[in-house]
Amino acid sequence: MKRVAVDIGGTFTDIVYIDDDTMNIVVDKTRSTPRDIGQAVSEAIKKAKIDMSEIALFIHGTTIGVNTIVQRKGAKVGLITTSGFTDVLEMARGDRTELYNYLWKKPKPLVPRHLRLGVRERTNYLGEIVEKLDEKQLAEIIGKLKGDGVEAVAVCLLHSYANPENEQRIGGKISAVWPEASVALSHLVSREYREYERTSTTVINAYIEKAVVGYLNRLSANLKDQGFTGQLLISGPSGVLGIEAVKEKALYTIASGPIGGAAGAAHLSSLCGIKDLLTMDIGGTSIDVSIIKDGVNVERHQSEVLGYPVLMAGVDIRAIGAGGGSIARVDAAGLLTVGPESAGADPGPMAYGLGGTKPTVTDAALVNGLIDPNYFLGGEVSVDVALAKKGMKAVADKLGLSLNEAADGILSVARNNMITTIGEILIGQGYDPRDFALMAYGGAGGLFAANIAEDMSISRVIVPVAPGVFSAQGILTMNLVHTYARAYGRSIEGLDTKELTDIYTEMENSALQLLTTEGMSRDSIEFTRSLDMCYEGQHYYIETPVPGGELKAAAKTEIRDSFERLHEIKYGHRIQAPMITINIRLRATGRIKDVPVAEIKSGKDIPQSAVKPKRKVYLEGQLVESQVYERDQLLCGNTIAGPAIIEEPFHTTVVMTDQTLVVDKLGNLIIRIGGA
C-alpha cells in the first residue's frame, strides 16, 4: 500500500510518503500559506513529486478549525436555548484563568447577545419533559434569526443530554422551514452534562462548520483532480476519521494538528520498549506537550481553545506560544520576553529576509551557531545571518549584553517557558519527571531537548527519525477512532447492569455501522467501554474501565474496585463514601494496517562520511568548538560525546557537554543525560 500524510503547521507544511512494499520513504516541507492553507497541501504534493493516482490512503492534519476561531472568520451563529438561560455563554465560570493578570478578560462570546434567544420548554435532569416546546414562539425565533442573516444555528436546551426530544423537534423544524441553515444540536455534538461547557462546544461546532466543510470539499476536489481515488481521512482528537464524520462534527478538526506527533510517539514507544514518555513538539509557532503512560497516550475529556471550553475526548496536548518563530523583545521594565507572538510563515524570522523586523528564537539559534545558515532546510532556504544579528543587536543594546549573550538569553527564556508548560502537564498531574524519557521532535525540538532534560532531571532524550516531519509521519500510525459519550448519573449500588448493557450495545451498533462505511472490516474493529465516576460530592471524575459483553451483577463489584484503585493511584487515598457514575463512554477503534519499520545498518566506528567540519557554537555561556555530524550517515551503535551537533535537512540536535548520544537500531538518537 502507498500512503501519504500532510500536516499543516503554523510555519511549515510537512508531507510524508511511504510505500509499504518497497519501504521507499519521502519526506519534505514547504512554507505554509496562511491566506489559503489548502494551497500548501497542493504545493507539498507537487514538491515531493507524488503521483496521487497511485495513493491508496491520504491522511490530513489541518488547522482550519483553529484558524477559523483565531481569525474570527466563522459563520454568523444564532443560539436557541431554554428560556432564562440565554446568558450562559456570557456568565461562563467564576474562575480566572490567569489569576494574577489584572488585564485578563474572559473571551468574547462567539454569539452576540441579540442572537441568543430562549424558547419556552423544560426537561428535568431525569429526562422528563415538564413543559412542552412552545411551537409558536419557536417559529418567531426562527424568523428573527433568519431575518438577521444568521448562517448557522446552535441549539442547546437544558438537560437535553438526558432527553433530546425537544432539541430534535427544534432541529426538524429549522430544517423544514429553513433548509439552507446549518444546525448544531447539543445532544449530537456533546451529550454530557455541564451547561456552560456543552453550550460552548455546540456553538464552536456551529461557528466553524461552514469553513471546515468548505475546506474539505475543496480538498477532496483538488485531490480528485490530481487523480486520487483512494481513501481520504482526517486526523482528529483520538485517531483518524472519515471525511463525512468530520463534516458532521467539525469540532474534530480543532485537535487535528499536533495529534499526529503524540500518536507517532506512542507507536514508537512500543517499538523501543520505553513505556513512559514525555513528548515535546517544537514547531515554528508553538510547543505541544503530551504524556505517554504505559505505552498509551494520556487523554482528557475537556480542553480549551483560545479560552473557550470544549467537551471532546482526545489526547491531552498542552500548547504555548514558544517556537522557532516566537518573537523576542525587551519590555518597558527592561525584561527580556519571548512569545507568545510569532513571526509565523509570513514574514517569518528576520533571517528569512521576507520583511520580518523583530528577532526570533530561530534568529538567536543562527547567531549562536546552533543552526548552519548554509544547511537550513537542507540548504533549500537561504537565510541571512547578518539580518539575524541586526535584530539581536537591538536586544543586546537594550540589555547591555554581547550578541551571543543576548541570543543565549532569548534561547534560555524560551526554554524556561517550555519547562513551565511541561511542569504543568507532568508534575501538575502527579507524575515524576525522573520516571520518563523525553521525546523531542518538530523543527526545533532537538535544539532544546538536552537542556530541558537536564534541568528537569530526565535521564534520556529520544530524537526520532525525521523529527522535522514527525507529526506528519505519526498521522500514518493512527487508527480510525470514534468516541461516544452520554450523561449517566447513577449510584454504583443502584446501577442497572441490563440498562447499561443496552446503552453500550446501542453505541457499539452505531459505531460498527459508521466504521463499516469508512472501509473497516468487522474483525478489525474493537470497542473499549468506560464510565466517568467519582465519590459523591466530588467535582472531578475518573474514567474507569467497564467489561465488554453482557454485564452481570458481578460487574458492579469489578467497576467499583477499579475506580477505587485508580483513585488511590491518582490522589493517594480512598474515601469511605458512596460512588456515583457521571458519563458513559465508548471508544470504537478500526485498526489500519501498521506502517512497516526498517532497521538501519550497524557499526561501531562512525563513518567518515558522517563527520562534517567543526564549528564554533555558543553553549553554556561560552564559545566552544563543536564537532558536527550528518545524521543520515550514522550507524546503529555509533556513540558520540558532547558537545556535538547532529544535522539533517529539517532538524538540528544539540548534545551538551557531559552528555552522550547513541544511535539505536531504528535510527533514533538516544541522548544520555549526566552519564546516565
Side-chain angles (χ1 to χ4, degrees), residues 579-590:
M579 287 167 265
I580 59 174
T581 65
I582 305 296
N583 296 307
I584 295 173
R585 295 193 183 275
L586 177 74
R587 180 187 179 95
T589 303

Side-chain angles (χ1 to χ4, degrees), residues 535-575:
Y535 288 112
E536 192 172 59
Q538 285 184 326
H539 183 59
Y540 296 101
Y541 48 76
I542 293 175
E543 187 175 3
T544 306
V546 173
E550 184 178 351
L551 300 174
K552 304 295 184 181
K556 291 198 287 187
T557 301
E558 185 177 344
I559 293 169
R560 181 193 296 112
D561 292 345
S562 294
F563 167 73
E564 291 198 294
R565 177 177 53 82
L566 291 170
H567 191 280
E568 186 172 20
I569 290 172
K570 187 162 188 175
Y571 298 111
H573 64 277
R574 303 186 185 201
I575 300 174

Side-chain angles (χ1 to χ4, degrees), residues 237-252:
S238 297
V240 295
L241 302 154
I243 190 169
E244 295 304 321
V246 178
K247 287 180 181 179
E248 290 180 8
K249 196 179 284 190
L251 196 69
Y252 287 143

Side-chain angles (χ1 to χ4, degrees), residues 137-179:
Q137 186 188 25
L138 174 62
E140 294 172 354
I141 288 173
I142 294 173
K144 182 180 187 311
L145 294 177
K146 189 175 182 180
D148 284 336
V150 164
E151 300 170 289
V153 181
V155 183
C156 188
L157 303 182
L158 192 66
H159 302 307
S160 59
Y161 56 82
N163 182 356
E165 182 180 333
N166 282 348
E167 272 194 4
Q168 291 168 340
R169 294 178 67 185
I170 291 175
K173 185 69 173 178
I174 295 173
S175 297
V177 303
W178 191 10

